[in-house]
Amino acid sequence: MIIKVVSAWDLSMAADFGHVVLNDSVNGSESSMSAPAPAPGGDDGNTSSVKLIYEQPTMFENCKALSEKYRVRWTLREEDNLIDIGLEAVTEIQNYMAFGWANPNSSSGYMLHADVAVTGFTEDFMPFAEDFYITDYSECSEGDNGMAHGVCPDSIYNASDPAFVNNTKLIYGQRLDGVSFVRYQRLLKSMDKKYDVPVNHTQNMTVIWALGKIKPPDSIWPYYLPQNHGGPRLLAYGFLDLNVSEHVNDCLGPLDAEDKQDQDLIIADAKVPLVVTSGPVTHYPNPPNPSKVLYINKKEAPLLRVERGVPVKFSVQAGHDVALYITSDPLGGNATVRNMSETIYAGGVEFEGVPASPKELVWAPDRNTPDQVFYQSVFEQKMGWKIQVVDGGLSDMYNNSVVLDDQQVNFFLDTVKRFNIYCCSR
């Protein structure tokens, strides 16, 4: 079997920047493909001109730019009483994306009594989409009468039958290069007459949208609740008239975020050990990757920053099949099995442990440590990520110092080998 793939691939990092799977059509059909569409100009009835289109979950028939950094995509399926909607924005991963329909019978502005979907990502980087109904310009809360009010999920208003009122169905979500994308599906006309606004797909209707911070669940409300968007119109919120049956595509090029890194940054502290565990992959920065990767202090494959001269203590609890080491090799997994060389700065096969019996690894980067190294597993490639090594205080890096006679210059020196002296002046 030949797998035909065109890929943009980084050999040094074994990183897939993007790929396309090429599929052949046999007599105009292929079992792994969806419904065929005629090729451009192929209207002569010749089946050899039929090309097969494979639709990715990020593909839609229409796209509308809500702002410079926020877009809504949709595909209308009126025969099924459905509309597929994709929200895409350059925004922080802790932010929500909201979109929905204003109630045409409301006399209190576009937002009040609106039917919106609130989408985003959980603290575990999993996508969500929830059906909301707006009764007040405030965060969802419970009044003195025990009734919820504000920007609340439909399921809070009707707790006796939450499945009936939640008419938003999550289809897909991804977070890539600083851009959030969530696809969901909703009914054009639902059975919920109280909290859902029916969508007349042949007429102009007012839609509303917003971006803002989201509050994670707590002991009172087990929901991700949007907070006030707090920004100016057309940047943090807005409204417009939209007819979803009309073809629209005013989205030019991909959205581009200035900050493309979502990885957490952990700064090592000499007094606090770094707890190393393993867990499932949600947003590993260098795909493709194994099914589980290293976590440090409950953060998935974070960027780790250490200072030269400051000891770093690791408490390795990632399992007996994961041995931690610090290496010059960006892939890890013991470079010698790939006939490659690497420099190992700390750790090795014996540095494995579990929560009940952790293994301690102490590493003190020094002036000979490169600016970038990697924490990885000896037994499997691409479980860890980068370590930034920065210069700390000179007193941490040198064990001797003296103030020169002019009292304006400090001279630091250290002897690490018999014939080598390292020195520095400030």
Side-chain angles (χ1 to χ4, degrees):
M1 178 180 178
I2 299 176
I3 301 176
K4 299 181 179 180
V5 178
V6 177
S7 173
W9 186 267
D10 184 336
L11 288 175
S12 63
M13 296 290 289
D16 181 12
F17 291 161
H19 66 270
V20 176
V21 179
L22 305 178
N23 292 277
D24 293 328
S25 61
V26 180
N27 295 325
S29 64
E30 183 165 329
S31 59
S32 64
M33 306 298 282
S34 59
D43 57 354
D44 58 358
N46 186 347
T47 57
S48 64
S49 69
V50 174
K51 302 298 181 184
L52 301 178
I53 304 301
Y54 176 67
E55 292 192 357
Q56 296 284 353
T58 52
M59 295 172 62
F60 294 85
E61 294 179 356
N62 304 278
C63 184
K64 178 70 177 176
L66 302 174
S67 71
E68 184 180 351
K69 298 296 185 180
Y70 189 20
R71 296 171 175 176
V72 58
R73 302 177 183 270
W74 73 93
T75 296
L76 181 63
R77 297 165 52 191
E78 65 270 23
E79 68 280 2
D80 299 320
N81 189 34
L82 292 172
I83 183 170
D84 284 286
I85 297 174
L87 302 182
E88 181 184 26
V90 175
T91 188
E92 297 180 13
I93 195 168
Q94 302 91 350
N95 288 0
Y96 68 86
M97 302 178 292
F99 177 84
W101 275 262
N103 190 326
N105 300 319
S106 175
S107 58
S108 305
Y110 294 120
M111 295 290 182
L112 286 183
H113 311 296
D115 172 21
V116 300
V118 175
T119 70
F121 291 84
T122 70
E123 293 170 298
D124 297 326
F125 301 97
M126 300 303 293
F128 69 87
E130 185 83 18
D131 198 1
F132 274 65
Y133 184 74
I134 302 175
T135 59
D136 196 3
Y137 292 107
S138 63
E139 185 179 317
C140 186
S141 61
E142 188 175 283
D144 295 336
N145 59 357
M147 300 294 292
H149 64 93
V151 184
C152 298
D154 289 11
S155 52
I156 287 184
Y157 297 116
N158 188 355
S160 61
D161 194 359
F164 173 76
V165 294
N166 184 17
N167 291 302
T168 298
K169 178 183 178 182
L170 174 69
I171 302 297
Y172 176 80
Q174 70 176 30
R175 175 77 181 175
L176 186 65
D177 292 339
V179 178
S180 292
F181 175 86
V182 175
R183 178 175 185 147
Y184 65 94
Q185 189 178 88
R186 64 154 288 170
L187 296 172
L188 295 173
K189 297 178 181 178
S190 77
M191 299 295 292
D192 179 10
K193 306 300 182 185
K194 188 172 183 179
Y195 304 114
D196 282 350
V197 173
V199 177
N200 188 331
H201 63 277
T202 63
Q203 293 185 358
N204 277 333
M205 295 188 67
T206 301
V207 295
I208 63 173
W209 59 269
L211 295 168
K213 292 290 185 182
I214 197 157
K215 180 181 178 182
D218 54 29
S219 58
I220 300 176
W221 296 106
Y223 301 94
Y224 284 86
L225 299 177
Q227 298 177 298
N228 191 297
H229 44 73
R233 187 187 165 201
L234 301 182
L235 287 179
Y237 75 99
F239 52 86
L240 69 151
D241 288 339
L242 187 67
N243 185 332
V244 295
S245 65
E246 295 179 352
H247 178 65
V248 178
N249 187 6
D250 61 5
C251 303
L252 303 177
L255 290 176
D256 185 36
E258 293 183 6
D259 183 5
K260 295 179 171 57
Q261 293 292 330
D262 278 332
Q263 297 308 114
D264 292 292
L265 171 65
I266 290 184
I267 300 175
D269 187 331
K271 301 177 181 179
V272 181
L274 300 171
V275 178
V276 181
T277 56
S278 60
V281 177
T282 59
H283 65 297
Y284 185 73
N286 186 29
N289 45 264
S291 59
K292 70 175 183 178
V293 295
L294 293 176
Y295 282 61
I296 296 181
N297 291 357
K298 299 182 179 181
K299 303 294 184 182
E300 179 187 353
L303 176 65
L304 179 60
R305 182 177 296 163
V306 301
E307 287 188 4
R308 292 182 174 90
V310 179
V312 182
K313 183 183 294 184
F314 298 90
S315 177
V316 185
Q317 309 173 19
H320 295 305
D321 59 341
V322 179
L324 181 69
Y325 77 130
I326 312 300
T327 173
S328 61
D329 181 29
L331 304 184
N334 189 356
T336 58
V337 301
R338 308 191 309 273
N339 295 320
M340 304 288 288
S341 62
E342 67 179 327
T343 301
I344 298 177
Y345 299 94
V349 294
E350 69 273 21
F351 288 92
E352 47 85 6
V354 294
S357 180
K359 182 72 174 181
E360 184 179 281
L361 168 62
V362 178
W363 169 51
D366 55 29
R367 67 185 63 81
N368 296 313
T369 308
D371 291 341
Q372 180 173 279
V373 293
F374 301 85
Y375 62 93
Q376 293 286 1
S377 169
V378 176
F379 303 133
E380 188 165 10
Q381 295 180 27
K382 299 177 75 172
M383 290 190 69
W385 192 227
K386 298 176 182 178
I387 301 177
Q388 287 181 347
V389 183
V390 299
D391 289 333
L394 294 177
S395 58
D396 293 326
M397 299 170 60
Y398 296 86
N399 56 20
N400 297 284
S401 65
V402 62
V403 179
L404 301 187
D405 288 343
D406 60 3
Q407 301 297 309
Q408 295 183 3
V409 176
N410 289 277
F411 188 71
F412 299 86
L413 69 158
D414 190 14
T415 303
V416 294
K417 292 184 179 180
R418 183 178 178 184
F419 301 107
N420 291 331
I421 297 177
Y422 293 89
C423 58
C424 176
S425 63
R426 180 175 61 190

PDB file of all heavy atoms in Angstrom, residues 68-86:
ATOM      1  N   GLU A  68     -11.506  42.573  12.424  1.00  0.00           N
ATOM      2  CA  GLU A  68     -10.213  42.251  11.823  1.00  0.00           C
ATOM      3  C   GLU A  68      -9.676  40.919  12.335  1.00  0.00           C
ATOM      4  O   GLU A  68      -8.957  40.210  11.626  1.00  0.00           O
ATOM      5  CB  GLU A  68      -9.216  43.372  12.123  1.00  0.00           C
ATOM      6  CG  GLU A  68      -7.855  43.182  11.462  1.00  0.00           C
ATOM      7  CD  GLU A  68      -6.894  44.311  11.768  1.00  0.00           C
ATOM      8  OE1 GLU A  68      -7.338  45.333  12.352  1.00  0.00           O
ATOM      9  OE2 GLU A  68      -5.710  44.184  11.426  1.00  0.00           O
ATOM     10  N   LYS A  69     -10.051  40.537  13.556  1.00  0.00           N
ATOM     11  CA  LYS A  69      -9.502  39.334  14.183  1.00  0.00           C
ATOM     12  C   LYS A  69     -10.555  38.284  14.501  1.00  0.00           C
ATOM     13  O   LYS A  69     -10.257  37.312  15.211  1.00  0.00           O
ATOM     14  CB  LYS A  69      -8.781  39.725  15.480  1.00  0.00           C
ATOM     15  CG  LYS A  69      -7.601  40.669  15.284  1.00  0.00           C
ATOM     16  CD  LYS A  69      -6.478  40.040  14.483  1.00  0.00           C
ATOM     17  CE  LYS A  69      -5.258  40.958  14.408  1.00  0.00           C
ATOM     18  NZ  LYS A  69      -4.156  40.354  13.615  1.00  0.00           N
ATOM     19  N   TYR A  70     -11.776  38.440  14.005  1.00  0.00           N
ATOM     20  CA  TYR A  70     -12.854  37.514  14.364  1.00  0.00           C
ATOM     21  C   TYR A  70     -13.721  37.242  13.140  1.00  0.00           C
ATOM     22  O   TYR A  70     -14.151  38.173  12.451  1.00  0.00           O
ATOM     23  CB  TYR A  70     -13.690  38.132  15.490  1.00  0.00           C
ATOM     24  CG  TYR A  70     -14.723  37.218  16.131  1.00  0.00           C
ATOM     25  CD1 TYR A  70     -14.647  35.837  16.031  1.00  0.00           C
ATOM     26  CD2 TYR A  70     -15.782  37.758  16.855  1.00  0.00           C
ATOM     27  CE1 TYR A  70     -15.590  35.020  16.628  1.00  0.00           C
ATOM     28  CE2 TYR A  70     -16.729  36.945  17.464  1.00  0.00           C
ATOM     29  CZ  TYR A  70     -16.629  35.583  17.343  1.00  0.00           C
ATOM     30  OH  TYR A  70     -17.559  34.769  17.930  1.00  0.00           O
ATOM     31  N   ARG A  71     -13.989  35.953  12.883  1.00  0.00           N
ATOM     32  CA  ARG A  71     -14.773  35.557  11.715  1.00  0.00           C
ATOM     33  C   ARG A  71     -15.825  34.531  12.110  1.00  0.00           C
ATOM     34  O   ARG A  71     -15.626  33.748  13.041  1.00  0.00           O
ATOM     35  CB  ARG A  71     -13.861  34.930  10.645  1.00  0.00           C
ATOM     36  CG  ARG A  71     -12.835  35.886  10.061  1.00  0.00           C
ATOM     37  CD  ARG A  71     -11.843  35.161   9.182  1.00  0.00           C
ATOM     38  NE  ARG A  71     -10.935  36.085   8.517  1.00  0.00           N
ATOM     39  CZ  ARG A  71      -9.931  35.711   7.746  1.00  0.00           C
ATOM     40  NH1 ARG A  71      -9.711  34.417   7.536  1.00  0.00           N
ATOM     41  NH2 ARG A  71      -9.146  36.612   7.175  1.00  0.00           N
ATOM     42  N   VAL A  72     -16.918  34.535  11.359  1.00  0.00           N
ATOM     43  CA  VAL A  72     -17.922  33.489  11.498  1.00  0.00           C
ATOM     44  C   VAL A  72     -18.043  32.791  10.145  1.00  0.00           C
ATOM     45  O   VAL A  72     -18.110  33.439   9.095  1.00  0.00           O
ATOM     46  CB  VAL A  72     -19.293  34.047  11.964  1.00  0.00           C
ATOM     47  CG1 VAL A  72     -19.822  35.104  11.003  1.00  0.00           C
ATOM     48  CG2 VAL A  72     -20.296  32.908  12.108  1.00  0.00           C
ATOM     49  N   ARG A  73     -18.033  31.471  10.166  1.00  0.00           N
ATOM     50  CA  ARG A  73     -18.213  30.659   8.962  1.00  0.00           C
ATOM     51  C   ARG A  73     -19.486  29.833   9.137  1.00  0.00           C
ATOM     52  O   ARG A  73     -19.844  29.470  10.259  1.00  0.00           O
ATOM     53  CB  ARG A  73     -17.006  29.739   8.752  1.00  0.00           C
ATOM     54  CG  ARG A  73     -15.676  30.493   8.629  1.00  0.00           C
ATOM     55  CD  ARG A  73     -14.498  29.531   8.499  1.00  0.00           C
ATOM     56  NE  ARG A  73     -13.241  30.234   8.461  1.00  0.00           N
ATOM     57  CZ  ARG A  73     -12.648  30.676   7.348  1.00  0.00           C
ATOM     58  NH1 ARG A  73     -13.246  30.469   6.179  1.00  0.00           N
ATOM     59  NH2 ARG A  73     -11.495  31.307   7.387  1.00  0.00           N
ATOM     60  N   TRP A  74     -20.154  29.506   8.024  1.00  0.00           N
ATOM     61  CA  TRP A  74     -21.350  28.689   8.159  1.00  0.00           C
ATOM     62  C   TRP A  74     -21.662  27.946   6.866  1.00  0.00           C
ATOM     63  O   TRP A  74     -21.273  28.355   5.775  1.00  0.00           O
ATOM     64  CB  TRP A  74     -22.549  29.533   8.595  1.00  0.00           C
ATOM     65  CG  TRP A  74     -23.129  30.435   7.532  1.00  0.00           C
ATOM     66  CD1 TRP A  74     -24.160  30.163   6.670  1.00  0.00           C
ATOM     67  CD2 TRP A  74     -22.712  31.780   7.236  1.00  0.00           C
ATOM     68  NE1 TRP A  74     -24.409  31.234   5.865  1.00  0.00           N
ATOM     69  CE2 TRP A  74     -23.540  32.239   6.187  1.00  0.00           C
ATOM     70  CE3 TRP A  74     -21.731  32.627   7.749  1.00  0.00           C
ATOM     71  CZ2 TRP A  74     -23.404  33.513   5.655  1.00  0.00           C
ATOM     72  CZ3 TRP A  74     -21.599  33.888   7.209  1.00  0.00           C
ATOM     73  CH2 TRP A  74     -22.428  34.320   6.186  1.00  0.00           C
ATOM     74  N   THR A  75     -22.367  26.843   7.034  1.00  0.00           N
ATOM     75  CA  THR A  75     -22.944  26.074   5.935  1.00  0.00           C
ATOM     76  C   THR A  75     -24.396  25.798   6.287  1.00  0.00           C
ATOM     77  O   THR A  75     -24.681  25.215   7.337  1.00  0.00           O
ATOM     78  CB  THR A  75     -22.196  24.745   5.719  1.00  0.00           C
ATOM     79  OG1 THR A  75     -20.839  25.024   5.319  1.00  0.00           O
ATOM     80  CG2 THR A  75     -22.876  23.900   4.655  1.00  0.00           C
ATOM     81  N   LEU A  76     -25.294  26.238   5.437  1.00  0.00           N
ATOM     82  CA  LEU A  76     -26.724  26.082   5.674  1.00  0.00           C
ATOM     83  C   LEU A  76     -27.191  24.715   5.183  1.00  0.00           C
ATOM     84  O   LEU A  76     -26.871  24.292   4.072  1.00  0.00           O
ATOM     85  CB  LEU A  76     -27.487  27.191   4.952  1.00  0.00           C
ATOM     86  CG  LEU A  76     -29.009  27.209   5.098  1.00  0.00           C
ATOM     87  CD1 LEU A  76     -29.412  27.420   6.548  1.00  0.00           C
ATOM     88  CD2 LEU A  76     -29.609  28.287   4.188  1.00  0.00           C
ATOM     89  N   ARG A  77     -27.963  24.036   6.021  1.00  0.00           N
ATOM     90  CA  ARG A  77     -28.534  22.728   5.669  1.00  0.00           C
ATOM     91  C   ARG A  77     -30.028  22.778   5.967  1.00  0.00           C
ATOM     92  O   ARG A  77     -30.525  22.126   6.879  1.00  0.00           O
ATOM     93  CB  ARG A  77     -27.838  21.616   6.452  1.00  0.00           C
ATOM     94  CG  ARG A  77     -26.349  21.481   6.139  1.00  0.00           C
ATOM     95  CD  ARG A  77     -25.613  20.642   7.146  1.00  0.00           C
ATOM     96  NE  ARG A  77     -26.264  19.351   7.341  1.00  0.00           N
ATOM     97  CZ  ARG A  77     -25.958  18.490   8.304  1.00  0.00           C
ATOM     98  NH1 ARG A  77     -24.999  18.802   9.174  1.00  0.00           N
ATOM     99  NH2 ARG A  77     -26.586  17.343   8.424  1.00  0.00           N
ATOM    100  N   GLU A  78     -30.748  23.593   5.175  1.00  0.00           N
ATOM    101  CA  GLU A  78     -32.155  23.829   5.458  1.00  0.00           C
ATOM    102  C   GLU A  78     -32.996  22.576   5.374  1.00  0.00           C
ATOM    103  O   GLU A  78     -34.007  22.440   6.072  1.00  0.00           O
ATOM    104  CB  GLU A  78     -32.720  24.916   4.541  1.00  0.00           C
ATOM    105  CG  GLU A  78     -32.746  24.564   3.060  1.00  0.00           C
ATOM    106  CD  GLU A  78     -31.477  24.966   2.329  1.00  0.00           C
ATOM    107  OE1 GLU A  78     -30.442  25.101   2.992  1.00  0.00           O
ATOM    108  OE2 GLU A  78     -31.543  25.144   1.107  1.00  0.00           O
ATOM    109  N   GLU A  79     -32.585  21.598   4.520  1.00  0.00           N
ATOM    110  CA  GLU A  79     -33.367  20.367   4.397  1.00  0.00           C
ATOM    111  C   GLU A  79     -33.328  19.548   5.682  1.00  0.00           C
ATOM    112  O   GLU A  79     -34.228  18.737   5.950  1.00  0.00           O
ATOM    113  CB  GLU A  79     -32.860  19.521   3.221  1.00  0.00           C
ATOM    114  CG  GLU A  79     -31.475  18.920   3.390  1.00  0.00           C
ATOM    115  CD  GLU A  79     -30.337  19.895   3.104  1.00  0.00           C
ATOM    116  OE1 GLU A  79     -30.634  21.080   2.807  1.00  0.00           O
ATOM    117  OE2 GLU A  79     -29.176  19.485   3.169  1.00  0.00           O
ATOM    118  N   ASP A  80     -32.289  19.769   6.508  1.00  0.00           N
ATOM    119  CA  ASP A  80     -32.178  19.072   7.792  1.00  0.00           C
ATOM    120  C   ASP A  80     -32.546  19.970   8.970  1.00  0.00           C
ATOM    121  O   ASP A  80     -32.366  19.573  10.127  1.00  0.00           O
ATOM    122  CB  ASP A  80     -30.752  18.543   7.989  1.00  0.00           C
ATOM    123  CG  ASP A  80     -30.343  17.541   6.930  1.00  0.00           C
ATOM    124  OD1 ASP A  80     -31.204  16.713   6.565  1.00  0.00           O
ATOM    125  OD2 ASP A  80     -29.190  17.585   6.471  1.00  0.00           O
ATOM    126  N   ASN A  81     -33.005  21.211   8.688  1.00  0.00           N
ATOM    127  CA  ASN A  81     -33.330  22.170   9.744  1.00  0.00           C
ATOM    128  C   ASN A  81     -32.092  22.484  10.589  1.00  0.00           C
ATOM    129  O   ASN A  81     -32.170  22.645  11.799  1.00  0.00           O
ATOM    130  CB  ASN A  81     -34.462  21.638  10.634  1.00  0.00           C
ATOM    131  CG  ASN A  81     -34.979  22.687  11.613  1.00  0.00           C
ATOM    132  OD1 ASN A  81     -35.014  23.886  11.301  1.00  0.00           O
ATOM    133  ND2 ASN A  81     -35.347  22.258  12.802  1.00  0.00           N
ATOM    134  N   LEU A  82     -30.916  22.566   9.939  1.00  0.00           N
ATOM    135  CA  LEU A  82     -29.661  22.759  10.659  1.00  0.00           C
ATOM    136  C   LEU A  82     -28.823  23.840  10.001  1.00  0.00           C
ATOM    137  O   LEU A  82     -28.940  24.124   8.807  1.00  0.00           O
ATOM    138  CB  LEU A  82     -28.850  21.460  10.676  1.00  0.00           C
ATOM    139  CG  LEU A  82     -29.379  20.283  11.492  1.00  0.00           C
ATOM    140  CD1 LEU A  82     -28.539  19.044  11.214  1.00  0.00           C
ATOM    141  CD2 LEU A  82     -29.379  20.611  12.984  1.00  0.00           C
ATOM    142  N   ILE A  83     -27.940  24.407  10.803  1.00  0.00           N
ATOM    143  CA  ILE A  83     -26.890  25.272  10.296  1.00  0.00           C
ATOM    144  C   ILE A  83     -25.609  24.931  11.044  1.00  0.00           C
ATOM    145  O   ILE A  83     -25.600  24.825  12.276  1.00  0.00           O
ATOM    146  CB  ILE A  83     -27.245  26.771  10.430  1.00  0.00           C
ATOM    147  CG1 ILE A  83     -26.145  27.631   9.808  1.00  0.00           C
ATOM    148  CG2 ILE A  83     -27.517  27.168  11.875  1.00  0.00           C
ATOM    149  CD1 ILE A  83     -26.515  29.097   9.679  1.00  0.00           C
ATOM    150  N   ASP A  84     -24.532  24.695  10.302  1.00  0.00           N
ATOM    151  CA  ASP A  84     -23.212  24.459  10.886  1.00  0.00           C
ATOM    152  C   ASP A  84     -22.483  25.788  10.946  1.00  0.00           C
ATOM    153  O   ASP A  84     -22.406  26.515   9.944  1.00  0.00           O
ATOM    154  CB  ASP A  84     -22.417  23.466  10.053  1.00  0.00           C
ATOM    155  CG  ASP A  84     -22.895  22.048  10.250  1.00  0.00           C
ATOM    156  OD1 ASP A  84     -22.600  21.489  11.309  1.00  0.00           O
ATOM    157  OD2 ASP A  84     -23.571  21.509   9.351  1.00  0.00           O
ATOM    158  N   ILE A  85     -21.928  26.111  12.107  1.00  0.00           N
ATOM    159  CA  ILE A  85     -21.293  27.403  12.332  1.00  0.00           C
ATOM    160  C   ILE A  85     -19.886  27.178  12.872  1.00  0.00           C
ATOM    161  O   ILE A  85     -19.657  26.326  13.728  1.00  0.00           O
ATOM    162  CB  ILE A  85     -22.113  28.250  13.325  1.00  0.00           C
ATOM    163  CG1 ILE A  85     -23.496  28.550  12.751  1.00  0.00           C
ATOM    164  CG2 ILE A  85     -21.386  29.561  13.658  1.00  0.00           C
ATOM    165  CD1 ILE A  85     -24.425  29.249  13.717  1.00  0.00           C
ATOM    166  N   GLY A  86     -18.945  27.949  12.348  1.00  0.00           N
ATOM    167  CA  GLY A  86     -17.578  27.928  12.851  1.00  0.00           C
ATOM    168  C   GLY A  86     -17.161  29.316  13.293  1.00  0.00           C
ATOM    169  O   GLY A  86     -17.300  30.278  12.531  1.00  0.00           O
TER     170      GLY A  86
END
